[in-house]
Amino acid sequence: MLIQWYPGHMAKARRMLVENLKLIDVVVEIVDARAPIATRNPDFDDLFTGKKRIALLNKSDLADPAATKAFIRAFKEQGVKAMEFVATNSAKKAAAVELLQGAVQEEVDRLLQKGVRKTVRVMVVGIPNVGKSTFINRIAGVNRAQVGDKPGVTKGKQWVKVGPYLELMDTPGLLWPKLEDELLARHLAFIGSIKDDIMDVEQLAALLLQELMALCPDALTARYKKLEAGMEPHALLEGVCQSRGFLLSGGLPDTERGARIALDEFRAGKIARITLDKPGYERQDGDGK
Ligand SMILES: Nc1nc2c(ncn2[C@@H]2O[C@H](COP(=O)(O)OP(=O)(O)O)[C@@H](O)[C@H]2O)c(=O)[nH]1
Ligand SMILES: [Mg+2]
């Protein structure tokens, strides 16, 4: 399904992360709350062995709140500290800073007894477009990390100081070499973590509409009035065009326009707050080897 999944610059970025690991006290992995399994990089288990790790379920404003809570419980059961977050507002900023610093509190206290105030260094990692840079800017309170609405905006390494004793390192989005799980691949594509220009958008939108019809039929049919349960994926896409009057001369549905609109509206949270992944799902790829 996907070409150019693991471009050369990612292998280079991975090496850069490894070289900087010795400087790091805590690793914060940002995942997308709409797909907390699909947006976790399975490679990170090997890469960050022995490091303190925190999972941050970002964009929780777009996800189903009950599902987010279930995922946080599941992370905690695996021994991973986790919290939900919305990097585009400040509501949980203080709680996040506390979680970051608390992750190495023992070491901070130990050094303090020797009269040394430790600077906690946090590496912020994750796949492209989950909100790493937005998170750093939120925590640091200034616009210092570059933010983009497309994957791949953060190219190099970037340190950002948050007060005198906390530093965050922004990193480029990292994927893993083999994406073999079709369902998770779709979820990544639906939320926009894979560049659209390497996929067939019409096929992608049709599959998204099919999945939404199963997950939230009421919200979907309320937004696009011509849709009905039981329609085939391509018929759903045509139904979006009919609902919006996206017709070409001759009356044929403009499915390319319909596809872009359906994807954009889903990604902006306009259909409903939806979580695509299910807690407990066992991934079929990416053992990192
Ligand atoms: N709705 C919503 N959008 C977010 C959130 N965090 C980041 N974004 C948006 O997601 C896009 C990618 O953010 P960016 O920080 O560049 O991602 P990065 O590639 O991981 O550094 C931008 O358009 C952000 O405004 C969030 O919590 N909620
Ligand atoms: Mg970035």
Side-chain angles (χ1 to χ4, degrees), residues 131-134 145-148 153-154 170-173:
K132 297 178 292 298
S133 300
T134 310
Q146 276 186 314
V147 175
V153 170
T154 310
D170 196 8
T171 61

Side-chain angles (χ1 to χ4, degrees), residues 58-62 85-88 127-134 146-149 154:
N58 191 40
K59 306 200 187 186
S60 58
D61 56 321
L62 302 174
F85 203 75
V86 180
T88 43
I127 70 164
N129 214 35
V130 287
K132 297 178 292 298
S133 300
T134 310
Q146 276 186 314
V147 175
D149 58 1
T154 310

Side-chain angles (χ1 to χ4, degrees), residues 23 53-54 124 154 177 237 261 266 274 280:
L23 306 172
R53 287 171 69 183
I54 293 171
V124 179
T154 310
L237 179 56
I261 290 291
F266 166 72
I274 296 157

